[in-house]
Amino acid sequence: MTIFFTILVKFIGFPDQIKNIQKRRSTEGVSFSFFFLSLLSYTFWVIYGFLRQDWVTIFGQGLGVIASAIIIFQFYLYKKN
């Protein structure tokens, strides 16, 4: 169940946020610190997965790295001058 919901969040939750930001072309109301900390957390989980050779952790958390990085990039892309 943990794996199922973790992947579900990354295939529904994050993409929905990415689409909303893209549609509005604004990150207003979105927490930069949350997604930055998420990126760090997922990155360290991936490192842990590599150290343990745990491909489930690497795959599941790797999706979080990608999704969080996209949102962080959107902050850069849509920052206000």
Side-chain angles (χ1 to χ4, degrees):
M1 292 300 289
T2 302
I3 294 168
F4 173 75
F5 283 109
T6 297
I7 292 174
L8 195 63
V9 164
K10 292 171 183 112
F11 278 110
I12 294 175
F14 278 102
D16 189 47
Q17 184 66 65
I18 291 166
K19 284 187 271 184
N20 284 337
I21 293 170
Q22 184 70 30
K23 181 178 163 183
R24 293 180 295 146
R25 299 209 180 276
S26 170
T27 56
E28 185 177 345
V30 180
S31 172
F32 176 81
S33 59
F34 172 77
F35 286 103
F36 182 74
L37 290 173
S38 294
L39 177 63
L40 290 177
S41 175
Y42 290 131
T43 300
F44 284 117
W45 273 110
V46 168
I47 292 168
Y48 174 79
F50 274 112
L51 294 173
R52 296 286 184 180
Q53 297 180 357
D54 181 354
W55 296 104
V56 172
T57 300
I58 294 167
F59 177 72
Q61 304 309 314
L63 292 173
V65 169
I66 293 166
S68 296
I70 290 170
I71 293 172
I72 294 297
F73 178 71
Q74 287 179 315
F75 271 95
Y76 171 76
L77 196 61
Y78 300 120
K79 70 179 176 181
K80 294 188 179 197
N81 296 328

